[in-house]
Amino acid sequence: MDIKGFIPQLSIDCVIFGYKNKELKVLVSKLSLPKELFSLPGGFISQDEDIDQAALRILKERTSLKDIYLEQFKVFGAAGRKNNAILDFIEEYKEPVLLGEMELDYDWFFKRFVTIGYYALVDINKVKPQKTILDDHVDWYPIDDLPPFFMDHTQIVEDALVELRRNLDDKLIGFNLLPETFTMRELQELYEAVYDKPFARNNFQKRMLSLGVLERLEKKFTGAANKAPYLYRFIS
Amino acid sequence: MDIKGFIPQLSIDCVIFGYKNKELKVLVSKLSLPKELFSLPGGFISQDEDIDQAALRILKERTSLKDIYLEQFKVFGAAGRKNNAILDFIEEYKEPVLLGEMELDYDWFFKRFVTIGYYALVDINKVKPQKTILDDHVDWYPIDDLPPFFMDHTQIVEDALVELRRNLDDKLIGFNLLPETFTMRELQELYEAVYDKPFARNNFQKRMLSLGVLERLEKKFTGAANKAPYLYRFIS
């Protein structure tokens, strides 16, 4: 990675949400450093790249997905926002520090950074997490069992979750977390995982159907034809 | 203005909303250049300054107000985002170009900039627009009669208005645009100006009172005691 082509002191950090087994999950990178540091998937912006393009590139590197629901949600720019955890470590460490195979460029990397937070919603079944040169590995973590992040990444996840909750109804974006077809119960479970609270079944179904964005398909094959639930699909 | 202490290629632009005579207004700067160019009040971020602090400083410079309702709403970062209008002008112009009394530092000023958009809501009666070294003058313009802005500032205002509409109910922020006490009719006129559509009087009053954030005060003195409307105050 040649850092010379990037805008200095500006980065992107992505909160990639997935959903599986009734749990909301976040994609987390363990950085490729001789110390255990956890980070959100992030990166920098080329001089000749739109910021949204840069975010899509960073997401594609980690998920292999092209069509991702992606939203810029907040900029984090505290005055003291530096890679202190890495800096501290470097002072202890005696050898040149490699990030992946790249020797860290101190002058560039350890200035104060302003970071643009994006969140993304992906169908977890379609994602095979990919590590880049920056990552030791990349894994899904449940939202209520995240590792201790470095810098302000815990705050970034919390703010992304607030924004996801705010937008789930307004912008009908939850469907990006589900497979193409789903039962009403599965949709309700997703809402319960995101908002971390139960919904009353009848009200939930009524509200969702009233939005006019669900197409009812055939019944789901379960073997027990009578009680089989209907499948739905999102129509935009 | 010494640009050396600022983060390069990163700026802040502020959409400062005010409200008067049933009109939503925006504070606009005519830049202090020998060409007529209109801009949102903006500025840069010191290396040792939080981005929110920088936005507050920029707002205080133009409005003299300290306690401003301020919200970061979007980052604008197209790849080709440069001060082209000024660049084009400089190529025509034969002498060194001064912005205020400052000779423009081409290397710094005409790189591609990413800008963080903030919007602010102010009580227009408390604001005396102040010009800085960057401004020839600073004035209020009605939202539907804005001057032709340079760069993407027209887009920035449009996106700020979308966000203001989205937040007016959710976050009960409209009161920042009004004097401390107001009649129900004045509140309704504000909503009508922001959303650019009429509201039914009875429904509007019912909805506002149901929010539980309005304290009813004495009747407004109008001389005609019978028909005088009540005054309200926002209780947070």
Side-chain angles (χ1 to χ4, degrees), chain A residues 153-172:
Chain A
H153 288 199
T154 298
Q155 187 64 49
I156 295 176
V157 174
E158 284 170 10
D159 289 359
L161 182 58
V162 168
E163 199 58 20
L164 170 61
R165 286 175 178 168
R166 195 170 168 231
N167 285 337
L168 203 58
D169 263 11
D170 271 19
K171 301 191 180 174
L172 305 169

Side-chain angles (χ1 to χ4, degrees), chain A residues 49-50 75 79 112 166-167, chain B residues 49-50 72 79 112 166-167:
Chain A
E49 192 178 37
D50 290 351
V75 183
R112 170 249 186 122
R166 195 170 168 231
N167 285 337
Chain B
E49 192 178 38
D50 290 350
Q72 199 199 89
R112 170 249 185 120
R166 195 169 167 232
N167 285 337

Side-chain angles (χ1 to χ4, degrees), chain A residues 6-10 45-53 71-80 111-112 114 116 163 166-167 170-171, chain B residues 6-10 45-53 71-80 111-112 114 116 163 166-167 170-171:
Chain A
F6 292 110
I7 295 180
Q9 299 191 258
L10 191 62
I45 302 155
S46 286
Q47 289 288 0
D48 57 0
E49 192 178 37
D50 290 351
I51 54 172
D52 291 349
Q53 280 174 357
E71 193 145 332
Q72 200 199 89
F73 70 98
K74 196 176 175 187
V75 183
F76 298 82
K111 284 220 171 78
R112 170 249 186 122
V114 172
I116 308 173
E163 199 58 20
R166 195 170 168 231
N167 285 337
D170 271 19
K171 301 191 180 174
Chain B
F6 293 109
I7 297 180
Q9 300 192 258
L10 191 61
I45 302 155
S46 285
Q47 289 289 359
D48 56 1
E49 192 178 38
D50 290 350
I51 53 172
D52 291 348
Q53 280 174 357
E71 193 145 330
Q72 199 199 89
F73 70 96
K74 195 175 174 185
V75 183
F76 298 82
K111 285 220 170 80
R112 170 249 185 120
V114 172
I116 308 173
E163 198 61 18
R166 195 169 167 232
N167 285 337
D170 271 18
K171 302 189 182 175

Side-chain angles (χ1 to χ4, degrees), chain B residues 8 26 32 41 51 83 88 106 110 113 123 128 139 146-148 155 161 171 189 193 208 217:
Chain B
V26 173
S32 178
I51 53 172
N83 288 308
D88 292 349
Y106 292 10
F110 299 120
F113 268 79
D123 177 353
K128 222 179 149 177
D139 283 314
L146 292 170
Q155 186 64 50
L161 182 58
K171 302 189 182 175
E189 285 166 352
M208 283 300 132
L217 306 169

Side-chain angles (χ1 to χ4, degrees), chain A residues 43-233:
Chain A
F44 306 111
I45 302 155
S46 286
Q47 289 288 0
D48 57 0
E49 192 178 37
D50 290 351
I51 54 172
D52 291 349
Q53 280 174 357
L56 282 170
R57 172 178 52 73
I58 290 163
L59 286 166
K60 187 164 173 268
E61 285 165 1
R62 267 34 176 259
T63 64
S64 309
L65 294 181
K66 267 189 219 169
D67 295 319
I68 289 187
Y69 180 87
L70 177 70
E71 193 145 332
Q72 200 199 89
F73 70 98
K74 196 176 175 187
V75 183
F76 298 82
R81 200 180 175 283
K82 295 186 180 182
N83 289 308
N84 286 331
I86 302 182
L87 272 178
D88 291 348
F89 160 70
I90 285 168
E91 284 181 12
E92 297 165 23
Y93 205 71
K94 303 301 173 198
E95 299 166 58
V97 174
L98 301 180
L99 180 62
E101 293 164 11
M102 175 181 71
E103 190 168 338
L104 286 178
D105 182 329
Y106 292 10
D107 283 346
W108 201 82
F109 226 87
F110 299 119
K111 284 220 171 78
R112 170 249 186 122
F113 268 80
V114 172
T115 199
I116 308 173
Y118 281 81
Y119 75 85
L121 305 182
V122 302
D123 176 354
I124 210 166
N125 300 303
K126 290 190 187 154
V127 174
K128 223 180 152 179
Q130 308 279 327
K131 63 178 192 172
T132 69
I133 190 174
L134 303 174
D135 315 299
D136 184 65
H137 56 254
V138 182
D139 284 314
W140 290 105
Y141 283 75
I143 188 86
D144 50 12
D145 193 20
L146 293 170
F149 283 110
F150 87 142
M151 292 184 77
D152 53 359
H153 288 199
T154 298
Q155 187 64 49
I156 295 176
V157 174
E158 284 170 10
D159 289 359
L161 182 58
V162 168
E163 199 58 20
L164 170 61
R165 286 175 178 168
R166 195 170 168 231
N167 285 337
L168 203 58
D169 263 11
D170 271 19
K171 301 191 180 174
L172 305 169
I173 56 179
F175 305 100
N176 293 288
L177 291 164
L178 291 172
E180 201 188 336
T181 66
F182 44 84
T183 64
M184 189 57 72
R185 187 194 179 92
E186 284 164 345
L187 184 59
Q188 181 173 341
E189 285 166 351
L190 166 66
Y191 269 68
E192 291 178 342
V194 170
Y195 288 103
D196 195 21
K197 66 176 184 189
F199 288 85
R201 190 175 147 200
N202 284 347
N203 283 349
F204 181 81
Q205 173 152 347
K206 209 180 293 175
R207 187 160 66 88
M208 284 298 131
L209 294 177
S210 75
L211 296 172
V213 296
L214 292 181
E215 181 188 11
R216 198 171 80 175
L217 308 168
E218 73 280 14
K219 288 195 172 192
K220 187 172 176 175
F221 180 73
T222 60
N226 263 348
K227 291 180 184 170
Y230 283 102
L231 286 171
Y232 291 88
R233 180 166 59 190

